[in-house]
Amino acid sequence: MDEIGQVVVAAGHLALKPRGRRWAHASLCVLDAVFSINAHYERHTVPTCHRYAGWAGISDPLSGSAQLPVRDEQPLQGFVTHIQTHGEAAFSSEILQNRQRTRANRDAPLKVAAARQYAEILVSHGITTLAEANALLADLDKLKAVERDLAGVTGHGSGARLVYLWMLLGDDSRIKPDRMVLRWLQTVLQHTVTTAQAIELVTEAAARLRCTPWELDHAIWESQRKV
């Protein structure tokens, strides 16, 4: 059996399910993508997003539908302005109540700095809403240019954060090859895989399973966070 076949068989034990509620504002997608790296998602990342939503007056941070656009979405420029007005340190401690940094080094930039840079770059390319982000994902030439700029933001690492951002913004064809996915694949295949190999394996396995890569990725993540 080839490796994709092994992944397909192992995925048969996972709880595959359609995408449910999701962030309804691009700003919350940016916060999630940045603050979820090397952090406990339910304990730290989700509350951080909800604290910002409450402070910013976002009454409906989540959408129960995958359909875009959503109504009354906060333009991403508003998120940038909030950080610039308050300053990164105050925004982290007083509004987000999360002073996590992009690396373990205490001198590393705050994660909110990376979130601001992400948002500024997207705005500079004319991306301020979820609908505009999804239009970007369909324009491969423009997408490459945006990705080149975003790759320069501190804490880029292997690129998993950027892939995850596209997932959050609405691209169900992408996965986040983070430590959860890599660990699951290593257990299934009995050897380590690179992030590029993980993307290929999960994407191809999802095609055989007739589900989206997002659905398989999320099922893997759900199974691994219980380990």
Side-chain angles (χ1 to χ4, degrees):
M1 183 184 298
D2 64 5
E3 291 192 337
I4 296 174
Q6 294 178 57
V7 173
V8 169
V9 171
H13 300 286
L14 301 175
L16 291 167
K17 53 188 178 182
R19 190 168 189 168
R21 289 170 65 77
R22 60 201 292 183
W23 299 122
H25 301 260
S27 57
L28 300 177
C29 294
V30 169
L31 282 173
D32 188 324
V34 172
F35 278 85
S36 64
I37 300 299
N38 296 322
H40 191 286
Y41 189 73
E42 299 294 345
R43 190 181 305 143
H44 298 297
T45 308
V46 172
T48 296
C49 293
H50 279 292
R51 278 192 289 269
Y52 172 71
W55 176 86
I58 297 175
S59 58
D60 296 310
L62 292 166
S63 170
S65 169
Q67 297 301 313
L68 299 170
V70 296
R71 292 182 298 175
D72 303 322
E73 181 180 351
Q74 178 198 59
L76 199 52
Q77 180 58 55
F79 173 68
V80 173
T81 300
H82 288 324
I83 299 176
Q84 292 174 336
T85 300
H86 288 80
E88 292 168 0
F91 195 84
S92 291
S93 60
E94 298 171 13
I95 297 171
L96 300 184
Q97 298 174 36
N98 185 330
R99 292 184 55 81
Q100 290 177 354
R101 297 182 180 273
T102 52
R103 297 188 301 276
N105 187 335
R106 69 177 184 176
D107 295 325
L110 291 165
K111 284 185 175 180
V112 74
R116 175 187 56 77
Q117 292 173 56
Y118 258 32
E120 287 178 337
I121 290 170
L122 289 170
V123 170
S124 73
H125 285 275
I127 311 303
T128 63
T129 65
L130 292 177
E132 290 168 347
N134 276 260
L136 168 69
L137 295 171
D139 186 340
L140 296 184
D141 290 335
K142 184 175 182 179
L143 179 62
K144 289 179 181 179
V146 176
E147 288 186 330
R148 280 195 299 268
D149 290 346
L150 292 175
V153 176
T154 183
H156 180 70
S158 67
R161 183 179 67 186
L162 181 52
V163 172
Y164 182 46
L165 175 63
W166 299 145
M167 289 172 60
L168 291 167
L169 289 169
D171 189 352
D172 287 358
S173 68
R174 294 173 182 258
I175 75 159
K176 179 187 179 185
D178 61 6
R179 58 189 175 86
M180 299 279 209
V181 172
L182 295 177
R183 182 174 66 191
W184 183 82
L185 288 171
Q186 180 177 349
T187 300
V188 171
L189 302 175
Q190 294 298 296
H191 67 77
T192 59
V193 299
T194 66
T195 55
Q197 290 170 332
I199 291 171
E200 180 179 1
L201 286 165
V202 173
T203 301
E204 291 296 328
R208 294 191 190 182
L209 289 164
R210 298 182 182 277
C211 68
T212 67
W214 183 94
E215 289 168 348
L216 180 52
D217 174 281
H218 190 66
I220 293 171
W221 185 84
E222 286 283 0
S223 70
Q224 288 301 293
R225 73 171 182 162
K226 299 173 184 177
V227 175

